[in-house]
Each structure stands twice: as C-alpha cells, then as structure tokens.
Amino acid sequence: MIIPIRCFSCGRVIASDYVRFAEESRKIINEIGHEPNGKEKSKILDDLGVERYCCRRMILSNADLIDEVISY
Ligand SMILES: [Zn+2]
C-alpha cells in the first residue's frame, strides 16, 4: 500500500530510500524499456546503501496500491 517509514525488523528509516529506488527504477524503464531485473534492482539498493536483507525486502516487496485503493 504505502511504504512503511521504518523497517519492521531493524527500525532503519527506509521510506526515503524507497522514493529514490522508485526514481531509479523509473529511469531504467524509460531508458531500457523494461522493468529492472534482479541484478539492476540489487545495484540500485547497493548504491542507496541498503545492505540488510530485512530492509531490502521491505523495499522490494512493497506494492504501490494507494492510487487504486484511494477511490474507495
Ligand atoms: Zn531492516
């Protein structure tokens, strides 16, 4: 739905990283024309400094559904 502000497991602030992750993903979609693959997503997270797998799963597993749900 909406990205949680902090990681559920370790408490690291991840919401600001998610915004940058989404921007980088959009850049790849515009340049290459497809969703970033696993290696590209991994590189984006490494560049953002998201190292722990608990934080990485928060960002990777988030589904942005707020625009679809907000009309209800
Ligand atoms: Zn974490």
Side-chain angles (χ1 to χ4, degrees):
M1 186 85 73
I2 303 173
I3 187 78
I5 302 297
R6 290 182 177 269
C7 174
F8 292 147
S9 300
C10 71
R12 181 182 191 274
V13 176
I14 53 161
S16 57
D17 290 332
Y18 180 75
V19 173
R20 288 186 284 167
F21 176 81
E23 286 172 2
E24 293 296 320
S25 297
R26 235 175 281 122
K27 271 187 205 169
I28 288 176
I29 291 170
N30 289 337
E31 289 172 7
I32 303 172
H34 64 79
E35 288 281 322
N37 62 29
K39 281 187 179 175
E40 290 162 341
K41 287 179 180 176
S42 175
K43 181 165 184 345
I44 294 170
L45 290 173
D46 288 342
D47 292 345
L48 291 176
V50 182
E51 294 177 355
R52 293 187 203 108
Y53 62 82
C54 57
C55 304
R56 291 168 87 98
R57 62 92 206 244
M58 295 290 290
I59 292 174
L60 290 174
S61 63
N62 181 58
D64 249 342
L65 297 176
I66 188 63
D67 291 335
E68 295 176 31
V69 174
I70 203 162
S71 59
Y72 301 105

